[in-house]
Amino acid sequence: MKILGIIISFFLWHLFVYAQQEESIEVFLIDAYATPEIPHTFVLSFFTSEPSVTKVKLEKKYVYDVSTEFSEIHNISIDLSKLEFENKTVKFIIESTDSLGNTSINDEYDFDIPFEPVIESGSSLFTFCLFGGMIFALPAPGYVNNDFGDYFSLTKEIPVLSFRSRSFHYPASYISIEYTYIFNANGRNLFRAGYKRLFELDFIKYISPGLTAFTNFKGQNGIAPEVSLGLFTIFNNSFTVYSRYRFNYKPNDNSANFHEVNLGLYSSFFSFYLK
């Protein structure tokens, strides 16, 4: 009986130790993103299921103390300008230690950086900006239809002011300026200014209703409601291929109204962000 008691005690002790080891500190993320403004900064905030001291490790090589005193709320801002990453998606883990010395490491998280990383093969931010600038400069080809026929057009849209969203994949909305050239049409040069709202979706990137005002500074003035669909991204998610339908309306002159369809590339990389 004494031996049986020792065996039971030994089993219960191991069960207790195992339960203690299995008990982990839960981490609940609040924010984890990189700011688009220079210097790019990683903003991280979270809370833990019990008071803990915490650390964050980026890509298994950059380690930072988040909280050096026991707390349930944790936040840190990390300057990314001097760090090197191999991909635009940066992975990180959070390490939490409670007052008893038990340490927990959460599942891996990630965030996207709004710049091209410098990697050992020699790619640089300058190269990316040069290449990205060339892609950004490409106009959007379009089809124009009015009472007089069908025309081919080229449109260049520049998002000049963007309003931040919580997702940081796309802005909540933006203000743009545009120039459209319609080949072989009267009033072929059009200048525009507009406001676009973006709603992110699961099955495509976004849907964006908007309204622009247009003029050729020679009497052809009007407004144009539109809707764009962000279809998919290219070049490390830096550009989104979109399609857009727009109806251009000139008050008191129905013969000047025309339909317009475009296929283009959207990027807010060169836009100025407002909160």
Side-chain angles (χ1 to χ4, degrees), residues 17 66 121 139 164 228 238 266-267:
V17 171
V66 181
S121 61
R164 196 183 313 282
S228 299
S238 299
Y266 166 79
S267 176

Side-chain angles (χ1 to χ4, degrees), residues 17 36 43 191 196 239 246 273:
V17 171
V43 177
F191 300 89
K196 321 293 175 74
F239 296 91
R246 180 156 53 193
Y273 270 81

Side-chain angles (χ1 to χ4, degrees), residues 70-117:
F70 291 103
S71 176
E72 294 180 336
I73 301 176
H74 314 266
N75 55 77
I76 189 174
S77 296
I78 300 172
D79 185 355
L80 301 175
S81 59
K82 295 182 180 180
L83 307 185
E84 295 184 358
F85 303 108
E86 295 185 358
N87 300 293
K88 291 198 68 173
T89 298
V90 177
K91 298 179 180 180
F92 68 94
I93 58 174
I94 296 171
E95 180 182 295
S96 308
T97 303
D98 63 19
S99 59
L100 298 177
N102 299 316
T103 298
S104 299
I105 297 177
N106 70 291
D107 294 332
E108 201 171 55
Y109 298 117
D110 62 67
F111 66 95
D112 293 329
I113 54 176
F115 59 88
E116 188 69 10

Side-chain angles (χ1 to χ4, degrees), residues 171-218:
S173 60
Y174 66 92
I175 296 173
S176 67
I177 56 174
E178 298 179 50
Y179 168 71
T180 298
Y181 183 83
I182 306 174
F183 291 83
N184 302 319
N186 294 325
R188 62 189 65 180
N189 296 289
L190 293 177
F191 300 89
R192 308 176 190 266
Y195 175 78
K196 321 293 175 74
R197 185 79 169 87
L198 278 78
F199 299 95
E200 295 185 47
L201 302 174
D202 292 331
F203 56 96
I204 58 174
K205 294 301 179 179
Y206 63 78
I207 183 170
S208 175
L211 184 68
T212 60
F214 66 87
T215 182
N216 66 349
F217 298 107
K218 296 180 179 179

Side-chain angles (χ1 to χ4, degrees), residues 7 28 34 43 58 144 154 168 181 211 213 221 231-232 246 254 269-270 275:
I7 293 174
F28 304 92
V43 177
L58 308 183
V144 172
L154 290 174
F168 282 86
Y181 183 83
L211 184 68
N221 307 314
L231 304 177
F232 55 89
R246 180 156 53 193
N254 290 335
F269 187 80
F270 300 100
K275 292 185 177 181

